Amino acid sequence: IILDPIVETGWEAVLQEARDAEIPVILADRSVKVEDEELYTCWVGSDFEKEGRMAGEWLASYLEKQNRSDEEICIVTLQGTPGSTAQIGRTEGFASVLEEHPNWEMLEYQSGDFTQAKGQEVMERFLESYEQIDVVVSENDNMAFGAIDAIRGAGKTCGPDGDIILLSFDASRAALNAMLEGKINAD
């Protein structure tokens, strides 16, 4: 069985059933939290926490090149599905870099459930709630596309020449094209 769990918890019983039936389980993309890691054969996926740290480090370097290292930087985060490995790792990784920059303010974290529609909805709320947003961290490309729609709908721009820096994850073909079009800063 190849299992791509949406969230990390709640898998003990089903994994135990597979083990009892002598069916190997391979975890794909996301991981699970279980007391007995022998309930699954292996996990194949990304180091999501490292991805989050790399995004924060990229932002620090970018702001330095823009001569904005000392500015107050207001950030919002479109998080993935709460409890998913990607959401947890990317949030924690970025937060570890955020702590190193006292002038970076995380205004709010809000789940966009890894979807474009929810990403747009949450970004619209962010734009209504906060007068100044310098950076949007989108924990996947689908939410980034929704954020782009919301930002444009509010009469603002994003990307390297825009009002808002937009960071995303997954590097899908469509997101890389959006980078080439100047809509996303880094992915």
Side-chain angles (χ1 to χ4, degrees):
I1 296 174
I2 297 176
L3 177 64
D4 185 1
I6 294 174
V7 296
E8 289 188 343
T9 58
W11 295 101
E12 301 263 356
V14 71
L15 290 173
Q16 185 62 55
E17 286 179 34
R19 181 175 170 179
D20 293 345
E22 298 182 9
I23 300 171
V25 175
I26 298 172
L27 302 177
D29 188 34
R30 300 174 185 182
S31 190
V32 296
K33 285 200 187 235
V34 292
E35 286 186 34
D36 181 3
E37 291 189 358
E38 291 186 16
L39 290 175
Y40 58 92
T41 305
C42 68
W43 167 71
V44 179
S46 299
D47 184 339
F48 297 113
E49 188 170 342
K50 182 177 180 181
E51 290 178 358
R53 279 193 313 274
M54 288 174 62
E57 291 163 359
W58 180 91
L59 179 60
S61 175
Y62 183 77
L63 292 171
E64 186 174 323
K65 289 175 188 170
Q66 300 293 313
N67 295 316
R68 296 180 65 190
S69 293
D70 297 327
E71 283 183 31
E72 180 78 18
I73 302 297
C74 299
I75 305 169
V76 295
T77 296
L78 294 165
Q79 292 181 301
T81 304
S84 68
T85 306
Q87 178 274 307
I88 293 167
R90 290 170 179 165
T91 298
E92 289 177 358
F94 189 85
S96 69
V97 178
L98 178 73
E99 290 175 5
E100 299 170 10
H101 298 275
N103 58 314
W104 293 9
E105 181 183 359
M106 182 59 68
L107 299 172
E108 190 172 349
Y109 295 95
Q110 192 69 230
S111 174
D113 287 326
F114 290 127
T115 70
Q116 184 169 342
K118 186 74 171 182
Q120 180 174 349
E121 178 185 317
V122 172
M123 190 66 217
E124 287 169 349
R125 282 198 304 255
F126 285 159
L127 290 164
E128 291 169 3
S129 299
Y130 301 103
E131 188 173 314
Q132 181 67 31
I133 297 174
D134 299 298
V135 178
V136 175
V137 177
S138 175
E139 291 183 347
N140 89 336
D141 293 338
N142 290 334
M143 293 184 301
F145 301 140
I148 291 167
D149 292 340
I151 290 166
R152 287 186 165 178
K156 296 180 182 260
T157 58
C158 56
D161 295 321
D163 305 313
I164 298 172
I165 297 166
L166 178 56
L167 308 179
S168 188
F169 295 87
D170 292 338
S172 67
R173 181 179 301 251
L176 296 178
N177 285 332
M179 286 181 64
L180 291 172
E181 295 167 4
K183 298 174 186 174
I184 296 174
N185 293 75
D187 200 315

PDB file of all heavy atoms in Angstrom, residues 10-34:
ATOM      1  N   GLY A  10      -3.698   9.824  13.603  1.00  0.00           N
ATOM      2  CA  GLY A  10      -4.892   9.016  13.391  1.00  0.00           C
ATOM      3  C   GLY A  10      -4.670   7.792  12.517  1.00  0.00           C
ATOM      4  O   GLY A  10      -5.646   7.204  12.024  1.00  0.00           O
ATOM      5  N   TRP A  11      -3.451   7.362  12.324  1.00  0.00           N
ATOM      6  CA  TRP A  11      -3.149   6.279  11.398  1.00  0.00           C
ATOM      7  C   TRP A  11      -2.784   4.959  12.071  1.00  0.00           C
ATOM      8  O   TRP A  11      -2.583   3.953  11.390  1.00  0.00           O
ATOM      9  CB  TRP A  11      -2.021   6.694  10.457  1.00  0.00           C
ATOM     10  CG  TRP A  11      -2.444   7.824   9.580  1.00  0.00           C
ATOM     11  CD1 TRP A  11      -2.143   9.145   9.726  1.00  0.00           C
ATOM     12  CD2 TRP A  11      -3.294   7.742   8.438  1.00  0.00           C
ATOM     13  NE1 TRP A  11      -2.725   9.892   8.743  1.00  0.00           N
ATOM     14  CE2 TRP A  11      -3.455   9.045   7.937  1.00  0.00           C
ATOM     15  CE3 TRP A  11      -3.931   6.697   7.780  1.00  0.00           C
ATOM     16  CZ2 TRP A  11      -4.215   9.337   6.810  1.00  0.00           C
ATOM     17  CZ3 TRP A  11      -4.692   6.982   6.662  1.00  0.00           C
ATOM     18  CH2 TRP A  11      -4.835   8.283   6.193  1.00  0.00           C
ATOM     19  N   GLU A  12      -2.691   4.936  13.384  1.00  0.00           N
ATOM     20  CA  GLU A  12      -2.249   3.734  14.104  1.00  0.00           C
ATOM     21  C   GLU A  12      -3.077   2.495  13.741  1.00  0.00           C
ATOM     22  O   GLU A  12      -2.524   1.453  13.401  1.00  0.00           O
ATOM     23  CB  GLU A  12      -2.306   3.948  15.628  1.00  0.00           C
ATOM     24  CG  GLU A  12      -1.457   5.088  16.117  1.00  0.00           C
ATOM     25  CD  GLU A  12      -0.095   4.677  16.640  1.00  0.00           C
ATOM     26  OE1 GLU A  12       0.194   3.477  16.713  1.00  0.00           O
ATOM     27  OE2 GLU A  12       0.677   5.586  16.967  1.00  0.00           O
ATOM     28  N   ALA A  13      -4.391   2.599  13.800  1.00  0.00           N
ATOM     29  CA  ALA A  13      -5.258   1.432  13.587  1.00  0.00           C
ATOM     30  C   ALA A  13      -5.132   0.868  12.174  1.00  0.00           C
ATOM     31  O   ALA A  13      -4.972  -0.344  11.989  1.00  0.00           O
ATOM     32  CB  ALA A  13      -6.714   1.784  13.889  1.00  0.00           C
ATOM     33  N   VAL A  14      -5.183   1.721  11.176  1.00  0.00           N
ATOM     34  CA  VAL A  14      -5.120   1.241   9.793  1.00  0.00           C
ATOM     35  C   VAL A  14      -3.740   0.669   9.475  1.00  0.00           C
ATOM     36  O   VAL A  14      -3.626  -0.340   8.768  1.00  0.00           O
ATOM     37  CB  VAL A  14      -5.549   2.330   8.784  1.00  0.00           C
ATOM     38  CG1 VAL A  14      -4.523   3.441   8.681  1.00  0.00           C
ATOM     39  CG2 VAL A  14      -5.840   1.729   7.422  1.00  0.00           C
ATOM     40  N   LEU A  15      -2.703   1.290  10.012  1.00  0.00           N
ATOM     41  CA  LEU A  15      -1.354   0.760   9.794  1.00  0.00           C
ATOM     42  C   LEU A  15      -1.165  -0.579  10.512  1.00  0.00           C
ATOM     43  O   LEU A  15      -0.508  -1.478   9.980  1.00  0.00           O
ATOM     44  CB  LEU A  15      -0.295   1.772  10.247  1.00  0.00           C
ATOM     45  CG  LEU A  15      -0.176   3.030   9.382  1.00  0.00           C
ATOM     46  CD1 LEU A  15       0.786   4.028  10.023  1.00  0.00           C
ATOM     47  CD2 LEU A  15       0.259   2.691   7.965  1.00  0.00           C
ATOM     48  N   GLN A  16      -1.773  -0.708  11.674  1.00  0.00           N
ATOM     49  CA  GLN A  16      -1.699  -1.979  12.396  1.00  0.00           C
ATOM     50  C   GLN A  16      -2.435  -3.074  11.619  1.00  0.00           C
ATOM     51  O   GLN A  16      -1.959  -4.203  11.532  1.00  0.00           O
ATOM     52  CB  GLN A  16      -2.286  -1.850  13.810  1.00  0.00           C
ATOM     53  CG  GLN A  16      -2.132  -3.091  14.666  1.00  0.00           C
ATOM     54  CD  GLN A  16      -0.667  -3.454  14.923  1.00  0.00           C
ATOM     55  OE1 GLN A  16       0.097  -2.634  15.403  1.00  0.00           O
ATOM     56  NE2 GLN A  16      -0.284  -4.684  14.588  1.00  0.00           N
ATOM     57  N   GLU A  17      -3.583  -2.738  11.023  1.00  0.00           N
ATOM     58  CA  GLU A  17      -4.320  -3.707  10.209  1.00  0.00           C
ATOM     59  C   GLU A  17      -3.485  -4.172   9.022  1.00  0.00           C
ATOM     60  O   GLU A  17      -3.454  -5.371   8.699  1.00  0.00           O
ATOM     61  CB  GLU A  17      -5.632  -3.092   9.698  1.00  0.00           C
ATOM     62  CG  GLU A  17      -6.694  -2.957  10.760  1.00  0.00           C
ATOM     63  CD  GLU A  17      -7.965  -2.318  10.216  1.00  0.00           C
ATOM     64  OE1 GLU A  17      -8.309  -2.554   9.031  1.00  0.00           O
ATOM     65  OE2 GLU A  17      -8.619  -1.593  10.982  1.00  0.00           O
ATOM     66  N   ALA A  18      -2.810  -3.254   8.370  1.00  0.00           N
ATOM     67  CA  ALA A  18      -1.960  -3.618   7.237  1.00  0.00           C
ATOM     68  C   ALA A  18      -0.805  -4.497   7.702  1.00  0.00           C
ATOM     69  O   ALA A  18      -0.482  -5.503   7.053  1.00  0.00           O
ATOM     70  CB  ALA A  18      -1.434  -2.362   6.547  1.00  0.00           C
ATOM     71  N   ARG A  19      -0.227  -4.148   8.813  1.00  0.00           N
ATOM     72  CA  ARG A  19       0.879  -4.950   9.352  1.00  0.00           C
ATOM     73  C   ARG A  19       0.409  -6.356   9.703  1.00  0.00           C
ATOM     74  O   ARG A  19       1.072  -7.347   9.388  1.00  0.00           O
ATOM     75  CB  ARG A  19       1.465  -4.254  10.579  1.00  0.00           C
ATOM     76  CG  ARG A  19       2.628  -4.977  11.204  1.00  0.00           C
ATOM     77  CD  ARG A  19       3.169  -4.118  12.301  1.00  0.00           C
ATOM     78  NE  ARG A  19       4.136  -4.815  13.107  1.00  0.00           N
ATOM     79  CZ  ARG A  19       4.754  -4.268  14.117  1.00  0.00           C
ATOM     80  NH1 ARG A  19       4.504  -3.024  14.449  1.00  0.00           N
ATOM     81  NH2 ARG A  19       5.619  -4.955  14.810  1.00  0.00           N
ATOM     82  N   ASP A  20      -0.759  -6.458  10.368  1.00  0.00           N
ATOM     83  CA  ASP A  20      -1.310  -7.765  10.727  1.00  0.00           C
ATOM     84  C   ASP A  20      -1.582  -8.619   9.485  1.00  0.00           C
ATOM     85  O   ASP A  20      -1.459  -9.842   9.532  1.00  0.00           O
ATOM     86  CB  ASP A  20      -2.598  -7.605  11.549  1.00  0.00           C
ATOM     87  CG  ASP A  20      -2.353  -7.002  12.925  1.00  0.00           C
ATOM     88  OD1 ASP A  20      -1.169  -6.964  13.367  1.00  0.00           O
ATOM     89  OD2 ASP A  20      -3.332  -6.556  13.551  1.00  0.00           O
ATOM     90  N   ALA A  21      -1.926  -7.951   8.387  1.00  0.00           N
ATOM     91  CA  ALA A  21      -2.195  -8.658   7.131  1.00  0.00           C
ATOM     92  C   ALA A  21      -0.914  -8.856   6.309  1.00  0.00           C
ATOM     93  O   ALA A  21      -0.980  -9.340   5.176  1.00  0.00           O
ATOM     94  CB  ALA A  21      -3.232  -7.893   6.317  1.00  0.00           C
ATOM     95  N   GLU A  22       0.210  -8.462   6.887  1.00  0.00           N
ATOM     96  CA  GLU A  22       1.520  -8.571   6.238  1.00  0.00           C
ATOM     97  C   GLU A  22       1.585  -7.820   4.910  1.00  0.00           C
ATOM     98  O   GLU A  22       2.204  -8.264   3.940  1.00  0.00           O
ATOM     99  CB  GLU A  22       1.923 -10.040   6.079  1.00  0.00           C
ATOM    100  CG  GLU A  22       2.063 -10.760   7.413  1.00  0.00           C
ATOM    101  CD  GLU A  22       2.508 -12.201   7.264  1.00  0.00           C
ATOM    102  OE1 GLU A  22       2.873 -12.631   6.160  1.00  0.00           O
ATOM    103  OE2 GLU A  22       2.485 -12.897   8.294  1.00  0.00           O
ATOM    104  N   ILE A  23       0.939  -6.655   4.889  1.00  0.00           N
ATOM    105  CA  ILE A  23       0.959  -5.780   3.715  1.00  0.00           C
ATOM    106  C   ILE A  23       1.911  -4.627   4.021  1.00  0.00           C
ATOM    107  O   ILE A  23       1.672  -3.854   4.947  1.00  0.00           O
ATOM    108  CB  ILE A  23      -0.445  -5.226   3.398  1.00  0.00           C
ATOM    109  CG1 ILE A  23      -1.423  -6.361   3.118  1.00  0.00           C
ATOM    110  CG2 ILE A  23      -0.374  -4.244   2.226  1.00  0.00           C
ATOM    111  CD1 ILE A  23      -2.868  -5.916   3.020  1.00  0.00           C
ATOM    112  N   PRO A  24       2.995  -4.493   3.256  1.00  0.00           N
ATOM    113  CA  PRO A  24       3.914  -3.372   3.499  1.00  0.00           C
ATOM    114  C   PRO A  24       3.246  -2.045   3.128  1.00  0.00           C
ATOM    115  O   PRO A  24       2.479  -1.971   2.167  1.00  0.00           O
ATOM    116  CB  PRO A  24       5.104  -3.658   2.594  1.00  0.00           C
ATOM    117  CG  PRO A  24       4.697  -4.746   1.671  1.00  0.00           C
ATOM    118  CD  PRO A  24       3.441  -5.367   2.192  1.00  0.00           C
ATOM    119  N   VAL A  25       3.558  -1.011   3.901  1.00  0.00           N
ATOM    120  CA  VAL A  25       3.022   0.324   3.656  1.00  0.00           C
ATOM    121  C   VAL A  25       4.189   1.282   3.425  1.00  0.00           C
ATOM    122  O   VAL A  25       5.119   1.347   4.239  1.00  0.00           O
ATOM    123  CB  VAL A  25       2.166   0.824   4.836  1.00  0.00           C
ATOM    124  CG1 VAL A  25       1.713   2.259   4.607  1.00  0.00           C
ATOM    125  CG2 VAL A  25       0.972  -0.098   5.061  1.00  0.00           C
ATOM    126  N   ILE A  26       4.109   1.998   2.320  1.00  0.00           N
ATOM    127  CA  ILE A  26       5.093   3.026   2.001  1.00  0.00           C
ATOM    128  C   ILE A  26       4.387   4.372   2.114  1.00  0.00           C
ATOM    129  O   ILE A  26       3.334   4.575   1.496  1.00  0.00           O
ATOM    130  CB  ILE A  26       5.662   2.838   0.575  1.00  0.00           C
ATOM    131  CG1 ILE A  26       6.390   1.497   0.486  1.00  0.00           C
ATOM    132  CG2 ILE A  26       6.568   4.006   0.200  1.00  0.00           C
ATOM    133  CD1 ILE A  26       6.817   1.123  -0.916  1.00  0.00           C
ATOM    134  N   LEU A  27       4.946   5.263   2.908  1.00  0.00           N
ATOM    135  CA  LEU A  27       4.395   6.614   3.041  1.00  0.00           C
ATOM    136  C   LEU A  27       5.001   7.486   1.952  1.00  0.00           C
ATOM    137  O   LEU A  27       6.214   7.523   1.775  1.00  0.00           O
ATOM    138  CB  LEU A  27       4.719   7.196   4.411  1.00  0.00           C
ATOM    139  CG  LEU A  27       4.228   6.408   5.619  1.00  0.00           C
ATOM    140  CD1 LEU A  27       4.681   7.073   6.905  1.00  0.00           C
ATOM    141  CD2 LEU A  27       2.721   6.258   5.597  1.00  0.00           C
ATOM    142  N   ALA A  28       4.147   8.187   1.227  1.00  0.00           N
ATOM    143  CA  ALA A  28       4.588   9.052   0.143  1.00  0.00           C
ATOM    144  C   ALA A  28       4.293  10.507   0.468  1.00  0.00           C
ATOM    145  O   ALA A  28       3.185  10.830   0.912  1.00  0.00           O
ATOM    146  CB  ALA A  28       3.890   8.664  -1.157  1.00  0.00           C
ATOM    147  N   ASP A  29       5.258  11.355   0.265  1.00  0.00           N
ATOM    148  CA  ASP A  29       5.174  12.800   0.423  1.00  0.00           C
ATOM    149  C   ASP A  29       5.088  13.217   1.889  1.00  0.00           C
ATOM    150  O   ASP A  29       5.955  13.892   2.388  1.00  0.00           O
ATOM    151  CB  ASP A  29       4.001  13.376  -0.376  1.00  0.00           C
ATOM    152  CG  ASP A  29       4.001  14.897  -0.395  1.00  0.00           C
ATOM    153  OD1 ASP A  29       5.090  15.506  -0.401  1.00  0.00           O
ATOM    154  OD2 ASP A  29       2.912  15.492  -0.388  1.00  0.00           O
ATOM    155  N   ARG A  30       4.061  12.819   2.576  1.00  0.00           N
ATOM    156  CA  ARG A  30       3.865  13.232   3.962  1.00  0.00           C
ATOM    157  C   ARG A  30       4.095  12.070   4.905  1.00  0.00           C
ATOM    158  O   ARG A  30       4.006  10.918   4.521  1.00  0.00           O
ATOM    159  CB  ARG A  30       2.462  13.787   4.137  1.00  0.00           C
ATOM    160  CG  ARG A  30       2.235  14.988   3.232  1.00  0.00           C
ATOM    161  CD  ARG A  30       0.839  15.463   3.278  1.00  0.00           C
ATOM    162  NE  ARG A  30       0.649  16.542   2.306  1.00  0.00           N
ATOM    163  CZ  ARG A  30      -0.473  17.168   2.151  1.00  0.00           C
ATOM    164  NH1 ARG A  30      -1.520  16.852   2.885  1.00  0.00           N
ATOM    165  NH2 ARG A  30      -0.585  18.129   1.265  1.00  0.00           N
ATOM    166  N   SER A  31       4.340  12.400   6.142  1.00  0.00           N
ATOM    167  CA  SER A  31       4.655  11.388   7.143  1.00  0.00           C
ATOM    168  C   SER A  31       3.498  11.235   8.129  1.00  0.00           C
ATOM    169  O   SER A  31       2.485  11.918   8.027  1.00  0.00           O
ATOM    170  CB  SER A  31       5.935  11.787   7.884  1.00  0.00           C
ATOM    171  OG  SER A  31       6.391  10.730   8.684  1.00  0.00           O
ATOM    172  N   VAL A  32       3.673  10.301   9.052  1.00  0.00           N
ATOM    173  CA  VAL A  32       2.676  10.077  10.105  1.00  0.00           C
ATOM    174  C   VAL A  32       3.379  10.082  11.457  1.00  0.00           C
ATOM    175  O   VAL A  32       4.579   9.816  11.547  1.00  0.00           O
ATOM    176  CB  VAL A  32       1.919   8.737   9.920  1.00  0.00           C
ATOM    177  CG1 VAL A  32       1.106   8.741   8.648  1.00  0.00           C
ATOM    178  CG2 VAL A  32       2.864   7.548   9.951  1.00  0.00           C
ATOM    179  N   LYS A  33       2.626  10.392  12.501  1.00  0.00           N
ATOM    180  CA  LYS A  33       3.140  10.298  13.867  1.00  0.00           C
ATOM    181  C   LYS A  33       2.512   9.063  14.505  1.00  0.00           C
ATOM    182  O   LYS A  33       1.312   9.023  14.742  1.00  0.00           O
ATOM    183  CB  LYS A  33       2.780  11.549  14.666  1.00  0.00           C
ATOM    184  CG  LYS A  33       3.608  12.728  14.288  1.00  0.00           C
ATOM    185  CD  LYS A  33       3.595  13.779  15.365  1.00  0.00           C
ATOM    186  CE  LYS A  33       4.301  14.983  14.806  1.00  0.00           C
ATOM    187  NZ  LYS A  33       5.369  15.465  15.534  1.00  0.00           N
ATOM    188  N   VAL A  34       3.341   8.063  14.738  1.00  0.00           N
ATOM    189  CA  VAL A  34       2.904   6.826  15.382  1.00  0.00           C
ATOM    190  C   VAL A  34       3.969   6.440  16.398  1.00  0.00           C
ATOM    191  O   VAL A  34       5.143   6.794  16.258  1.00  0.00           O
ATOM    192  CB  VAL A  34       2.691   5.688  14.360  1.00  0.00           C
ATOM    193  CG1 VAL A  34       1.501   5.972  13.453  1.00  0.00           C
ATOM    194  CG2 VAL A  34       3.928   5.447  13.518  1.00  0.00           C
TER     195      VAL A  34
END
